[in-house]
Amino acid sequence: MSRRIVLSVTAGVVVLGGAGAFALAYAGDQSPALAHSTARYTAPGGDRAGSLTFTTDVTASSGVKSVKVLAWPANSSFAKKALTAKDMAAVESAVCKPSGGDTERCTYKVTVTRADADGSPQGVWHVAVLATAKDGGTTLDTRAADFKVG
């Protein structure tokens, strides 16, 4: 082989290898992805308590570190002033379990008492989710799912 061909092939391998390494590094820094988010609200009735159950699938190539969940009424101050990751820092966490590959199924469930229901605004509510990956990447979806109270 001539020296010129060897240099061209070597340069091509270096360029392709660098592009592959960049693609892998970039894929590793992706923010978590949310999918199939649902909220189910059951009002308390008679002697039984109600509940709010929120479920979502979170995919993160580095793994899921935490998933924070906040239900908020559509007519609250958050409708005018958008929720931030800082607002979500102190809210409750969902419980996540592996569901295949880099995806975890995360569920948040809370009991709703008659006093809770009576003191809550009627109408549409939204569920906000802050997903944090083990590599530090975050995704905030302030309207991941909706449900109706009343």
Side-chain angles (χ1 to χ4, degrees), residues 14-32:
V14 168
V15 168
L16 289 175
F22 175 77
L24 284 175
Y26 180 74
D29 289 342
Q30 294 294 311
S31 296

Side-chain angles (χ1 to χ4, degrees), residues 11-109:
V13 168
V14 168
V15 168
L16 289 175
F22 175 77
L24 284 175
Y26 180 74
D29 289 342
Q30 294 294 311
S31 296
L34 304 174
H36 312 293
S37 298
T38 60
R40 188 178 72 240
Y41 173 77
T42 304
D47 295 356
R48 74 172 168 77
S51 65
L52 169 63
T53 303
F54 171 78
T55 309
T56 191
D57 292 332
V58 182
T59 303
S61 59
S62 67
V64 177
K65 179 179 177 183
S66 69
V67 175
K68 303 280 192 161
V69 179
L70 175 67
W72 58 280
N75 60 355
S76 74
S77 62
F78 291 130
K80 294 178 179 83
K81 176 193 151 266
L83 271 166
T84 65
K86 185 177 178 181
D87 295 324
M88 298 289 291
V91 303
E92 295 178 336
S93 296
V95 175
C96 299
K97 296 180 181 177
S99 63
D102 294 335
T103 302
E104 294 193 24
R105 173 72 116 177
C106 301
T107 303
Y108 171 77
K109 186 171 185 174

Side-chain angles (χ1 to χ4, degrees), residues 2 4 7 18 20 50 62 69 79 82 100 108 118 123 126 129 136 138:
S2 78
R4 184 177 287 162
L7 288 174
S62 67
V69 179
Y108 171 77
D118 290 345
H126 305 294
V129 179
T138 61

